[in-house]
Amino acid sequence: MFRSAAQRLRSVGKNGRLTRLVHTTRAQAKMSIRNATIIGFGAGAITSAYYLSQLQQQSPILLESPSVIGELTPEVVSKHNKRDDLWIVLNGKVYDLTDFLPNHPGGQKVLLKLAGKDASKIFNPIHPPDAIEKFLPPEKYLGPLKPPLSQIINLHDFETVARQILPPAALAYYSSAADDEVSLRENHNAYHRIFFNPKILVDVKEVDITTEFFGNKTSAPFYASATALAKLGHPDGELSIARGCGKEDIVQMISTLASCSFDEIADARVKDDQQQWFQLYVNSDRKLMEKQVKHAEERGMKGLFITVDAPSLGRREKDMKMKFDDDADVLEDSDDNIDRSQGASRALSSFIDPSLSWKDIGHIRSLTKMPIVIKGVQRKEDVLLAVDHGCQGVVLSNHGGRQLDFSRAPVEVLAEVMPELRAKGLDKNFEVYVDGGIRRGTDVLKALCLGAKGVGLGRVFLYANSAYGENGVRKACQLLKDELEMNMRLLGVTKIEDLKPELLDLRSLPNRTVAVAQDNLYSNNYQPMTSVEFKPEQD
Ligand code: HEM
Ligand SMILES: Cc1cc2nc3c(=O)[nH]c(=O)nc-3n(C[C@H](O)[C@H](O)[C@H](O)COP(=O)(O)O)c2cc1C
């Protein structure tokens, strides 16, 4: 059924939830599982398509709301400025006051005057706090006002907006991390314990932030890391990430658990030489895994990143609290033993082979000429093993704090790894990447000074894509590039290869109790975990 944007917007109810839902039938859900089998890329794609369809069926807003609520920009609201189509913004929330107009105790004139605009300044002093609740039916709340992209000035802003517009289950899946989320926060905080020793009076008129990953030129030393289920946040899913990255010459790492099929994402490349990498979760079905690797190479992937930090998925409690129950009807075709009662993360990962070990790496190495990179390395001994096993690189990562809580911040591990590699003369032909907690150009510079070849960002791209699609992804890249270039200038460096450890003050890095200035933007976005609620058992 086709519905105009306005009709769709009108059906958004309290808390941004749709009140008139577009029902996805069970048959449709089953159909999409079957399609996934055809178009997908092995068990990962099947599982992620399956869960998307199941989430959508349980809560159709999951897939619809990102595009629906996402349209509430000031520009869109300003068009609803007539007697028969009257929207008004009050305290960051958009209301449809068309039907309320004739009943407004303060008269029609004032509402007509501010139609399509923000009326908070006039509204707040003359109305009791419960006026809206008392007089306006809940479905007249259309959703939060979304700032135009031009108002986004740093990467934190994407998260702030995404937190307002994402459906709760999607936000829980994206934002959650393991156990008490200590590593999640430490990943970011560790960067605050590194300070700079900038050079002065260097000619920094021309600054070049381009670099090479595995011999391929790229516009900046960062990439969009693999993240599952981008469609939970935006209907174009990984495709808009591909297009946004492509237009900015930034590498995209494609997840085994992407919500679009691998081929769709490869087809979304905006130019022939756009670089993509494939992230591999090694499937228990090794034949299938071999097919995936070969197909990735055929489709021009420039690197194979084997994720090794998830033999079983960490307990992500925010996600678990959003658990969705089995639906016997949808499950009738499925004879797997997946535990679907513990949130999207756990259910998604059940095909990953927990018996994967170093001896498998040699075999995977023999399957392809793509550079092989181990993603999820957390100690220097394992970096050396990766070298011994013929890998071309590692990503120092704890999966964005989503796996083993209290695993160390990757940047701290990086500071230990690089001196070791340099001492062994291994730092030239082996590429070390790092991800987790990166939000600023200065974070990227710190990692590069320590010796990283590049850095990955996960959630930032999910949030940018959820809030603004392809343009958001582009803006995220541009903001980070701008910060990088400006801060390189301030550091007295003009080329990436001149970023060296001497430019850093690392004295506080290993000391986790050091007091630094509070990072308000990060802390404002962080939602503390909640304690158990006392509510009756659901059947
Ligand atoms: C959610 C929408 C709104 C509701 C539920 C609402 C409700 C009310 C109510 C109950 C009153 C009577 C208050 C009283 O007599 O004590 C009132 C008066 C008034 N309202 Fe609203 N209102 C809404 C939106 C607005 C907006 C957007 C504006 C301004 C653009 C506005 C301007 C006024 C004015 C000027 C009065 C008259 C105050 C007076 O005579 O002292 N209202 N409104
Ligand atoms: C929602 C979400 C899904 C992820 N999915 C994958 C995945 O499918 N494969 C993978 O190797 N890493 C995955 N990661 C980890 C990221 O690739 C990356 O290591 C991490 O997000 C970096 O931390 P950051 O989010 O602070 O940038 C995921 C991370 C998030 C937040």
Side-chain angles (χ1 to χ4, degrees), residues 332-468:
E332 76 188 4
D333 286 354
S334 145
D335 54 2
D336 56 48
N337 291 317
I338 298 169
D339 177 5
R340 293 178 176 81
S341 64
Q342 304 206 30
S345 310
R346 292 222 144 196
L348 272 172
S349 64
S350 44
F351 71 91
I352 301 171
D353 187 353
S355 74
L356 183 75
S357 69
W358 282 111
K359 63 182 186 319
D360 298 298
I361 300 299
H363 172 60
I364 301 175
R365 175 62 294 170
S366 71
L367 297 173
T368 175
K369 292 200 165 53
M370 288 183 284
I372 292 208
V373 184
I374 307 290
K375 177 174 183 283
V377 176
Q378 299 172 54
R379 64 211 295 261
K380 61 175 187 282
E381 293 80 357
D382 285 340
V383 176
L384 298 175
L385 280 172
V387 176
D388 290 347
H389 284 79
C391 300
Q392 278 62 51
V394 289
V395 184
L396 302 176
S397 169
N398 57 24
H399 216 105
R402 291 160 78 83
Q403 287 300 104
L404 179 67
D405 203 12
F406 290 95
S407 52
R408 293 194 298 158
V411 70
E412 200 181 308
V413 181
L414 177 70
E416 278 177 18
V417 163
M418 292 316 297
E420 188 94 3
L421 286 182
R422 279 187 206 106
K424 292 186 158 47
L426 295 170
D427 56 316
K428 295 282 178 283
N429 299 320
F430 186 83
E431 303 197 351
V432 178
Y433 295 84
V434 67
D435 75 23
I438 291 154
R439 299 290 182 275
R440 286 286 184 190
T442 48
D443 298 339
V444 184
L445 290 179
K446 289 171 187 177
L448 265 66
C449 284
L450 284 170
K453 189 72 185 160
V455 305
L457 292 90
R459 292 181 183 82
V460 163
F461 281 104
L462 280 176
Y463 293 139
N465 191 47
S466 301
Y468 300 97

Side-chain angles (χ1 to χ4, degrees), residues 479-497:
L479 285 170
L480 200 53
K481 284 181 188 175
D482 287 351
E483 286 189 20
L484 257 171
E485 188 182 321
M486 195 204 63
N487 286 301
M488 264 174 76
R489 201 165 266 128
L490 298 179
L491 200 53
V493 173
T494 57
K495 300 194 294 293
I496 296 291
E497 55 266 35

Side-chain angles (χ1 to χ4, degrees), residues 106-321:
Q108 299 192 22
K109 214 170 138 193
V110 65
L111 293 189
L112 285 166
K113 201 171 157 209
L114 283 150
K117 300 198 179 92
D118 189 333
S120 316
K121 276 195 191 136
I122 302 180
F123 176 87
N124 288 336
I126 53 178
H127 293 80
D130 61 351
I132 295 179
E133 206 178 290
K134 260 193 181 156
F135 289 88
L136 215 59
E139 66 272 16
K140 299 297 175 189
Y141 168 53
L142 300 179
L145 183 74
K146 192 174 78 170
L149 195 51
S150 57
Q151 277 175 25
I152 301 297
I153 59 165
N154 58 52
L155 299 186
H156 295 285
D157 288 346
F158 288 113
E159 179 168 352
T160 310
V161 177
R163 282 187 177 278
Q164 291 300 314
I165 66 168
L166 276 173
L171 179 60
Y173 177 64
Y174 287 175
S175 64
S176 61
D179 293 3
D180 297 310
E181 305 191 336
V182 172
S183 287
L184 168 82
R185 287 169 284 165
E186 171 62 7
N187 284 354
H188 178 71
N189 292 341
Y191 282 97
H192 296 188
R193 302 198 296 268
I194 305 176
F195 283 75
F196 289 113
N197 297 317
K199 292 194 215 164
I200 51 152
L201 291 175
V202 177
D203 175 356
V204 288
K205 203 158 162 250
E206 302 296 329
V207 171
D208 181 8
I209 62 165
T210 62
T211 188
E212 284 184 1
F213 293 158
F214 304 110
N216 299 306
K217 194 141 176 126
T218 184
S219 69
F222 61 85
Y223 59 88
S225 194
T227 46
L229 297 188
K231 268 194 185 174
L232 282 182
H234 192 279
D236 291 345
E238 292 80 8
L239 304 185
S240 35
I241 301 183
R243 291 192 283 261
C245 284
K247 288 180 183 164
E248 291 298 322
D249 272 321
I250 290 297
V251 180
Q252 175 193 25
M253 190 195 295
I254 302 174
S255 166
T256 304
L257 289 172
S259 47
C260 301
S261 79
F262 170 79
D263 281 321
E264 283 177 299
I265 307 171
D267 289 342
R269 289 198 289 246
V270 295
K271 50 190 167 187
D272 291 343
D273 62 351
Q274 178 178 339
Q275 288 183 68
Q276 289 173 319
W277 294 332
F278 180 58
Q279 175 269 321
L280 179 73
Y281 277 127
V282 177
N283 200 300
S284 308
D285 177 347
R286 290 302 158 86
K287 286 272 165 291
L288 198 105
M289 180 274 287
E290 288 177 13
K291 265 195 203 153
Q292 287 177 309
V293 171
K294 290 192 171 135
H295 188 59
E297 185 158 20
E298 278 158 23
R299 292 302 321 261
M301 296 296 117
K302 299 281 186 259
L304 181 69
F305 286 64
I306 308 172
T307 299
V308 296
D309 56 12
S312 115
L313 269 248
R315 284 175 60 86
R316 302 162 190 176
E317 295 184 7
K318 284 177 184 155
D319 188 35
M320 287 164 75
K321 285 193 173 175

